[in-house]
Amino acid sequence: MNTGSDEPGEVAVAADGARTDETGTDGPGAGREGEHGLGSRAPEFVKARRLLHLSWQVGVFVVGLAVVGAGIVMLPLPGPGWVVIFGGMAIWATEFVWAQLVLRWTKRKVTEAAQRALDPRVRRRNITLTAIGLVIIGVLAGIYLWKFGLVMPWKIKDQ
């Protein structure tokens, strides 16, 4: 798939086989609102000049890389790591087809997971497992309190 081409007649093919161009599936104004075709969303005056468009893509890549890098740093540290990583992917998706396809796949998988989580059988199982886990934690806490009392395992008074 050629992501750098600016030819007006070219059509990108999504992973699910749907053909889309920059104006949508059936022309301007067609399709679902807010859904764009695959490809660059750079302003037309940027797309018209090859060197400017390449510079634009490099800039978008660097900014997206910085945001994704910050998200990766936030994974072990406090902060919304995954949200920031997907924000960086969204920045990349404004310019690169591969990032658009990754975001579409991710949205589809998240939607499927949410639908599965709302299934009554899965919810009953999750509630049952949570109740069993809470009972186990309560029993362990009771055993600790019975054996040691309300004493913490470290000695604060010695310091």
Side-chain angles (χ1 to χ4, degrees):
M1 187 176 303
N2 185 2
T3 61
S5 178
D6 297 324
E7 299 299 320
E10 285 194 15
V11 175
V13 178
D16 58 1
R19 296 180 73 217
T20 58
D21 59 11
E22 289 191 7
T23 57
T25 55
D26 296 321
R32 290 176 267 178
E33 268 189 49
E35 185 171 319
H36 301 283
L38 297 175
S40 175
R41 290 184 179 81
E44 290 302 320
F45 75 91
V46 171
K47 288 187 206 177
R49 293 162 185 83
R50 183 77 178 145
L51 186 60
L52 186 58
H53 191 222
L54 183 62
S55 301
W56 179 274
Q57 286 182 327
V58 168
V60 167
F61 183 79
V62 168
V63 170
L65 185 64
V67 173
V68 168
I72 290 172
V73 168
M74 286 183 200
L75 288 176
L77 298 175
W82 285 110
V83 174
V84 173
I85 289 172
F86 288 124
M89 289 295 296
I91 291 171
W92 279 338
T94 63
E95 205 51 42
F96 303 107
V97 173
W98 61 267
Q100 293 169 1
L101 296 176
V102 168
L103 281 180
R104 283 184 182 181
W105 179 84
T106 304
K107 285 180 184 178
R108 188 171 58 248
K109 291 299 179 182
V110 166
T111 302
E112 290 171 5
Q115 289 173 349
R116 279 194 312 267
L118 293 176
D119 181 22
R121 288 175 286 152
V122 174
R123 289 185 68 197
R124 270 194 304 273
R125 183 199 66 202
N126 290 344
I127 289 171
T128 303
L129 289 175
T130 301
I132 291 170
L134 288 173
V135 167
I136 290 172
I137 289 172
V139 167
L140 291 175
I143 291 172
Y144 178 83
L145 289 174
W146 174 68
K147 185 156 179 98
F148 299 107
L150 197 55
V151 177
M152 296 297 158
W154 54 85
K155 298 179 182 179
I156 298 175
K157 294 179 185 176
D158 293 344
Q159 294 179 359

